[in-house]
Amino acid sequence: MHSSDLAFDQRHIWHPYTSLTSPLPTYAVASADGVYLNLHSGEKLIDGMSSWWSTIHGYNHPELNAAAHRQIDTMAHVMFGGITHTPAIELCKRLVKLTPEPLDAVFLADSGSIAVEVAIKMALQFQVSRGKTNKNKLVTIRQGYHGDTFAAMSVCDPVNGMHELFTGVLPQHVFAPAPQIKPDEEWFETDISALAKIISEQHENLAALILEPIVQGAGGMRFYHPEYLRQARKLCDKYDLLLIADEIATGFGRTGKLFACEHADICPDILCVGKALTGGYMTLAATLTTRHVADTIGGGPGGGNLMHGPTFMGNPLACAVACASLDIIAKGDWHQQVAEISAQLKAELEPCRTSVHVADVRVFGAIGVIEMQKPINVAAAQKQFVAAGVWIRPFGKLLYIMPPYIIEPLQLAKLTKAICTYCQNPV
């Protein structure tokens, strides 16, 4: 890649969560295979991010490549309005089979944020359809993150969710304190008492509770006790709220269960999935709900129609690759892979706790998190990590990794060593 291309990129192209006036440095990737990102400048980096949780099977996977090649020779895309096709049908069959039995109605979206938008729309339309027009607010927990579109932003943490600038514009929903008890700690009912109080007092105006089950992602990379989720399900049942589980980051094995809700043995009324759905090959997401919710909406005003239809909804190419990705998941190798990654992360990141620069070390499933005492200089940290042959993208005070499931122990050790080296002397 010519230096003029990088200069053009820096001058004209917005990258995620950065400024076009003073952008963070970018690194040009020429190709990717397995767990490696191969830079134009010659470096070969072990990817600790799975391209933001998505590339669980690694890059350039032969089965996913083959599925994409087969499908693109048939049709890359057709509209989903008034048309259907085998890849979409086969994908939805797999999703209905993989998810809890009550979830049998599938809306195919084109990104995780849109899946959340659709879930919120479903919940509000469900309440309108049964004459509960006063139930038009959502309740959620702080430290959450659900995406960057407007309805999704409105249920992100007002401060840590990155959208504080839009506070006066976004719909005003109800926030409960974030859970504090970690998965391996003793459970106390006091952890959910604030949420219980809010729901008991405001349930007549609440349509749904939306949360990320067990693992809160970009809002703080926090893990909480499964009993909190179990009790939240009971509160929704008692006070007539729908429960929306945002499993866009946690779905398809990342936490050690196929879906994080399984840690609490509960089923949501609405489930959002995305990211790893296609194995990181292209953007696709889905919102699943129960027959009861679907039928209630179907019997409501406006002809019972759910008025949402992304242009690339049900994209055949994405659906075909997603089917292949879920076929790999169905083989079950991820169980052992995630368990081994988790054990290695716990063993190799725990020594970081002794550093005066580290506030906390936490691991859950194939997710490792180091919380620093002070905000991280992202540009300087990434330069150090690239020099060490790894790709890690910090944010705020957090260093975290969620590597592809196929990573080998020596490759993972290179990631953890780079993190531990940084923690001893942050740049």
Side-chain angles (χ1 to χ4, degrees), residues 35 72 97 109 130 181 197 264 278 311 314 332 356:
V35 300
I72 206 165
K97 183 179 180 180
R130 62 192 193 120
I181 299 177
K197 186 174 188 292
T278 65
T311 300
V356 295

Side-chain angles (χ1 to χ4, degrees), residues 36 62 69 97 104 120 128 132 169 209 239 253 296 302 305-307 313 319 348 368 370 373 376 381 400 404 424:
Y36 289 100
H69 282 294
K97 183 179 180 180
D104 73 346
I120 291 172
V128 170
K132 302 278 188 178
V169 179
L209 165 64
Y239 290 104
T296 302
N305 299 322
L306 183 61
M307 299 303 291
M313 181 178 180
C319 289
E348 295 178 1
I370 305 290
Q373 297 282 4
I376 297 166
Y400 68 102
Q424 294 305 318

Side-chain angles (χ1 to χ4, degrees), residues 133 145 255:
T133 55
Y145 174 80
T255 68

Side-chain angles (χ1 to χ4, degrees), residues 9 16 28 36 69 86 244 254 273 278 320 348 364 381 394 410:
D9 182 289
Y36 289 100
H69 282 294
T86 299
I244 303 171
R254 179 59 65 179
V273 295
T278 65
E348 295 178 1
F364 193 75
L410 289 177

